[in-house]
Amino acid sequence: MPEPHAPHHGAPIGDGVRIAAIRPVLLSAPYADGENLEVRLALPTGWRTTGLVEVTLDDGTTGLGEGYLAVFAPQVFVSTVDLIAPYLIGRPAGELEERYREMVLVTGYWSLQGAARHVVSAVETALVDALGKRAGVPAYELLGGRRTDAIRLYASGGDSTSPSAMAAEIAAVAALGIDTFKIRSRGHEADKAVWTLEHAAAHGIGVAVDMAQNLADPGQSVAQALAFLDVVGAGTRWPVRFLEEPLGPARTAEYPALRRAAGCPVAGGETVTTAQELLERMALGYYDLVQPDATVVGGPRQTLAVFAGAAEHGVDVVVHCWGSAVCQAANYHAAFAGGGRLAEWPMPRYPLRSELLVEPFRLEDGCLLAPQAPGLGVLLTPEAERLYAFRDDAVYRCATPLPPAVPGRWHTD
């Protein structure tokens, strides 16, 4: 299958303005709290890193993009930005397809899939942000225009290690007016899922389950995922809204079989770095909900290519947004342009999700309203760079064993 083309929307934009400078920016900030299992396992200092690209146009306009890679490999992110930048300096900023092709050519031999795609994502996002600011319009207008006025949100978190902390998360979700809460519940944590389904239902909130198998090798089998669902189903009458990443990378070919037997929608795709692979997975029947991330899959335009292909295969696109405000904005603007109906709203405390915004995201009745600020509505200030300077102890640790379940911790009265 050839690489899909992002939807084309008329002539190049930008009136010939050119790229004057590109620089990588690493920021680190406090993340979540000590009751969060992700923090305990992967971020023991309690700080998390975000990798940004700042593009400056020759008229002085700046734009920001984000690449998820920097969470795990910040110096690889910086080096890849520095490698790509000389090929783009002096080139027309508004020729997005041409700049994308150049970045793919520079990185394709050694990273046609994988790490470099996160940097391609960041640079294209920064260009879209800068061009939107220059034109005085929200980024979705440069991506073909808004196809919806509001997108329903699901709250994403649920990695609490105690019932009291999970109850606080449920209360925070209810306060936002959001009616779906996605938790992390691994295969040995069915009792945690049951507890949360029961307690969230009292607030009118349904629960989705992320089984967090996207880094597991070989990962759990279809039989194990179904056994988890059986235990959950025996413990509560409340259904699982959707099941996310229930199989590891070595077992992706088994998704169609799981989907046929699961009895609830199956979601995945957040780590996939090309629209082409996501389209192939959808054609093979992997997902009910596909979850591209504009900071991973090649940028907002490749995210739109996923939207276009999903419509053909009858799959809903639910953008993944687990980074800073720049990541959120890039994905939300793509979702508004793509006609998205549901999107992720990350719950853990992380200052870079609010302090990089020009104006707060607007939520109403559990929905995100279309942003109105030019570009992505984000801004990096010298003060923010000083306050959240990169810390080399804020790098995500992946090779950490899960602690065993504590019997009786999630007992449901």
Side-chain angles (χ1 to χ4, degrees), residues 86-159:
Y87 294 91
L88 303 182
I89 302 300
R91 306 288 283 165
E95 296 176 354
L96 294 175
E97 181 65 27
E98 288 76 5
R99 302 296 78 78
Y100 172 80
R101 288 174 180 167
E102 288 163 355
M103 289 189 285
V104 171
L105 182 62
V106 170
T107 60
Y109 190 90
W110 52 275
S111 192
L112 189 60
Q113 294 177 311
R117 298 288 299 175
H118 296 229
V119 176
V120 171
S121 301
V123 175
E124 177 173 286
T125 300
L127 287 171
V128 170
D129 181 37
L131 292 165
K133 289 172 179 173
R134 189 172 185 272
V137 298
Y140 53 72
E141 295 294 350
L142 302 185
L143 299 171
R146 187 174 77 234
R147 294 180 56 193
T148 184
D149 294 325
I151 298 173
R152 189 162 52 91
L153 296 173
Y154 75 85
S156 188
D159 214 9

Side-chain angles (χ1 to χ4, degrees), residues 206-222:
V207 174
V209 174
D210 181 351
M211 299 199 76
Q213 291 289 295
N214 52 19
L215 296 179
D217 187 11
Q220 65 186 7
S221 65
V222 169

